[in-house]
Amino acid sequence: MSITENYHIIKNQLPSTVQLVAVSKTHPVSAIQEVYDLGQRVFGENKVQELLEKYPLLPKDIEWHLIGHLQTNKVKYIAEFIDTIQSVDSEKLLAEINKEVGKHNRKIKVLLQVKIAAEDTKFGLEITEAKDLFEKYINGDFPNIEITGLMGMATFTDDLEQVKKEFLILKKVFNELNQLKKLETLSMGMSDDFPTAIECGANSVRVGSAIFGRRDYSK
Ligand SMILES: *Cc1c(COP(=O)(O)O)cnc(C)c1O
């Protein structure tokens, strides 16, 4: 199936209240432009270098989301144009983003990435760390940043019950933090598990291969 067909199939499965982040990592600028021309404006990349190569070649009204692990020394390269950093997994990173954004007189939205998967290979804050960080934010520690929500990745498994359990944990944390200060975005779900994520309360999903096709890392 073509990218255009895939895109329509995914869009048709999403309630209008759910944001789609089209994850374009490893895919060429031409593929991104094709999806852009269908009306999509929000795209996600996981590597700074790749984003910096693509960004100048694409329309300026794209809302770029960084969804991969971000090293503090790379924040300065994206601070001027990134819309949302979904993968904030340390206080050090949050402080660096706050500092760099301050130089550009704008605000960046960030999501706290919370570890919910049973496997411990993934980046992310422990739940208690995320709560502590959010409280510091509420107390005014990071004035240039807006924490607008949470992001999580479930265990990579066919067991949708396990996946559901993990998504519901994040939904609960989201509800708790939302009591302290209103949040907008709960980012959960990828190509294989986004319907489950939406069932569990996600209002933003990050879909790559179901739109762009399988990633070829050999190129
Ligand atoms: C690659 C990636 C996705 C998209 O994965 P697909 O399975 O291709 O939909 C979503 N979130 C993150 C953090 C990713 O790195």
Side-chain angles (χ1 to χ4, degrees):
M1 242 173 321
S2 72
I3 290 176
T4 294
E5 285 170 310
N6 290 340
Y7 179 73
H8 289 305
I9 289 169
I10 296 296
K11 279 297 272 186
N12 285 334
Q13 291 177 72
L14 299 179
S16 60
T17 51
V18 173
Q19 175 190 55
L20 171 63
V21 179
V23 176
S24 48
K25 65 190 188 199
T26 78
H27 296 286
V29 163
S30 58
I32 301 173
Q33 185 69 51
E34 178 176 345
V35 175
Y36 176 92
D37 290 339
L38 299 171
Q40 179 68 24
R41 291 296 178 270
V42 185
F43 290 86
E45 288 280 339
N46 70 333
K47 293 205 169 84
V48 168
Q49 186 55 43
E50 188 175 343
L51 176 56
L52 291 175
E53 285 165 21
K54 290 171 173 175
Y55 168 73
L57 306 174
L58 285 156
K60 287 295 162 294
D61 64 342
I62 287 181
E63 251 183 51
W64 289 104
H65 287 218
L66 194 83
I67 61 170
H69 179 64
L70 175 58
Q71 288 170 285
T72 48
N73 62 0
K74 295 201 172 148
V75 173
K76 57 179 175 287
Y77 301 118
I78 58 171
E80 197 176 351
F81 70 90
I82 199 83
D83 180 83
T84 303
I85 298 174
Q86 292 209 3
S87 42
V88 170
D89 57 5
S90 72
E91 180 167 351
K92 188 171 155 233
L93 178 58
L94 198 58
E96 179 68 14
I97 297 169
N98 184 64
K99 185 184 108 197
E100 285 301 324
V101 174
K103 298 178 184 168
H104 296 287
N105 197 23
R106 61 188 296 259
K107 279 207 171 194
I108 289 185
K109 290 178 269 185
V110 312
L111 307 184
L112 300 180
Q113 181 176 354
V114 181
K115 212 182 277 182
I116 50 169
E119 52 196 359
D120 60 7
T121 49
K122 287 181 181 142
F123 292 105
L125 297 156
E126 300 295 340
I127 291 171
T128 51
E129 291 177 314
K131 288 180 179 171
D132 288 350
L133 210 45
F134 193 66
E135 278 175 17
K136 288 187 182 174
Y137 161 70
I138 291 177
N139 291 332
D141 276 15
F142 311 102
N144 302 323
I145 288 174
E146 229 180 311
I147 297 182
T148 56
L150 303 178
M151 187 268 261
M153 286 166 92
T155 302
F156 184 68
T157 170
D158 291 337
D159 180 357
L160 282 183
E161 282 309 309
Q162 173 70 24
V163 168
K164 197 167 168 175
K165 205 171 82 189
E166 294 170 0
F167 284 153
L168 288 174
I169 292 173
L170 194 59
K171 171 64 173 161
K172 185 162 164 274
V173 178
F174 181 87
N175 288 348
E176 285 173 31
L177 298 186
N178 191 46
Q179 300 278 314
L180 303 175
K181 189 178 197 303
K182 194 100 195 96
L183 292 176
E184 288 164 19
T185 306
L186 180 55
S187 170
M188 317 189 285
M190 321 196 330
S191 291
D192 292 333
D193 57 15
F194 74 84
T196 307
I198 293 168
E199 254 179 65
C200 297
N203 63 5
S204 182
V205 295
R206 310 176 308 274
V207 178
S209 44
I211 297 171
F212 293 103
R214 282 199 5 236
R215 287 180 286 277
D216 181 0
Y217 286 106
S218 65
K219 276 189 280 190

